[in-house]
Amino acid sequence: MKQIVVSDRPYHLSWDLTTACHLHCNLCYNTEKKSHPTETRDLIETILDNVVELKPLHLGIGGGDSLLSPYISWILQQLAERMGDEMPIITIDTMMVNQGEDVVQQVWRLNKDLGDNRIQFYLSIHGSPEVHDKIVGYKGHFKKQIEGIKLLKRYGINFSLGIVPTKENFNQLDTVLILALYWGAGLLNISRFVPIGKGAKAYEQNLSSEQYKWLLDWIVTRNTQLSCQLP
Ligand SMILES: C[S@@+](CC[C@H](N)C(=O)[O-])C[C@H]1O[C@@H](n2cnc3c(N)ncnc32)[C@H](O)[C@@H]1O
């Protein structure tokens, strides 16, 4: 009989590096706009020690916006130096990769040293330019996301796209899927809306049970039709 091998390393660990963010997403679970006072070097070092010891297979670094943390480059360097081949697959969640070419260059260098595309990015796109900009509360942000994607493609760095479906953008799923396919995203992640934090005020935007059922059917149908990778 075929044996199922289970790793003794945790499959996934999420590290929300900072609460700082420059967007105003109406659905966001994060209520802060600035860095929290506890985001000190001491705390970062303690968390880093734990990550190195736990050796997760996948590490999601997010926020807030991970690129707004002054420690992001240092953390990536430390993980590479201290974990070497055991470095997890890392996904950097940001909405301002277009302004972070220094980190993109560092990721390109680290990936080259590691000999694979282990460090990747995750960008949210919630619909067409108009719908996306409205949801994130930032006019012109969709355009910045596309600039960010082009920057990643210039450096050959893999990325995934994500959408949080609510009543506001329920009719945008095909638009975002087409964008993911067009730009060559490795994955389109569909996150379930969790109405907490700022998002608690948008509770009525939560999909109905019929819409969730439709969404599951949509995922199955599109996966079959396109042989693409939905969640
Ligand atoms: C808090 S955001 C922070 C990272 C980055 N600033 C961004 O917006 O992508 C992390 C991810 O969680 C999603 N998200 C935010 N609030 C959410 C909520 N209430 N329920 C589910 N997903 C949410 C965002 O769309 C994004 O994909």
Side-chain angles (χ1 to χ4, degrees):
M1 199 183 14
K2 215 173 171 188
Q3 290 281 321
I4 297 173
V5 182
V6 181
S7 170
D8 54 0
R9 295 171 61 179
Y11 173 69
H12 172 80
L13 206 104
S14 275
W15 184 357
D16 278 356
L17 199 51
T18 177
T19 50
C21 188
H22 61 332
L23 298 183
H24 310 275
C25 302
N26 56 15
L27 55 80
C28 193
Y29 54 72
N30 179 18
T31 47
E32 314 261 346
K33 284 261 60 88
K34 297 187 179 148
S35 316
H36 196 272
T38 53
E39 289 166 27
T40 60
R41 174 79 177 221
D42 272 0
L43 179 68
I44 300 285
E45 280 181 14
T46 306
I47 298 173
L48 183 69
D49 288 345
N50 278 278
V51 173
V52 172
E53 198 182 318
L54 282 165
K55 294 190 183 63
L57 294 169
H58 178 252
L59 175 67
I61 302 183
D65 200 307
S66 51
L67 294 198
L68 286 176
S69 166
Y71 304 109
I72 180 73
S73 289
W74 181 78
I75 289 169
L76 293 172
Q77 194 59 41
Q78 285 289 308
L79 288 170
E81 281 172 19
R82 292 171 62 180
M83 299 185 80
D85 280 347
E86 290 189 312
M87 176 134 158
I89 293 172
I90 296 180
T91 309
I92 303 173
D93 186 349
T94 174
M95 295 292 261
M96 54 180 289
V97 69
N98 62 311
Q99 291 171 42
E101 187 159 359
D102 49 340
V103 180
V104 172
Q105 268 176 6
Q106 182 193 15
V107 166
W108 175 79
R109 267 198 313 275
L110 290 172
N111 278 343
K112 199 159 160 264
D113 293 347
L114 289 157
D116 52 35
N117 282 315
R118 205 172 303 198
I119 315 176
Q120 319 181 351
F121 283 82
Y122 179 84
L123 315 180
S124 301
I125 292 196
H126 297 298
S128 66
E130 299 72 31
V131 175
H132 173 84
D133 287 1
K134 183 159 176 271
I135 288 176
V136 302
Y138 189 126
K139 200 162 171 15
H141 188 263
F142 180 94
K143 210 166 146 227
K144 290 181 188 296
Q145 287 294 72
I146 301 296
E147 282 167 18
I149 291 174
K150 286 183 184 165
L151 178 67
L152 294 174
K153 290 189 84 71
R154 266 211 313 282
Y155 283 88
I157 296 173
N158 292 347
F159 65 95
S160 22
L161 291 187
I163 177 172
V164 182
T166 60
K167 287 189 173 135
E168 198 173 359
N169 62 352
F170 190 57
N171 60 359
Q172 299 289 311
L173 285 157
D174 276 326
T175 304
V176 177
L177 177 58
I178 288 165
L179 284 166
L181 291 167
Y182 177 79
W183 288 107
L187 177 87
L188 173 60
N189 186 57
I190 296 161
S191 303
R192 184 169 181 165
F193 173 48
V194 186
I196 55 168
K198 210 137 64 72
K201 293 199 189 111
Y203 186 78
E204 73 288 352
Q205 289 298 335
N206 207 356
L207 299 182
S208 65
S209 41
E210 290 74 29
Q211 285 173 316
Y212 271 117
K213 186 178 172 312
W214 186 94
L215 178 62
L216 291 176
D217 288 342
W218 180 86
I219 292 170
V220 172
T221 319
R222 291 296 184 270
N223 261 334
T224 319
Q225 285 173 345
L226 303 167
S227 352
C228 58
Q229 233 188 323
L230 292 166

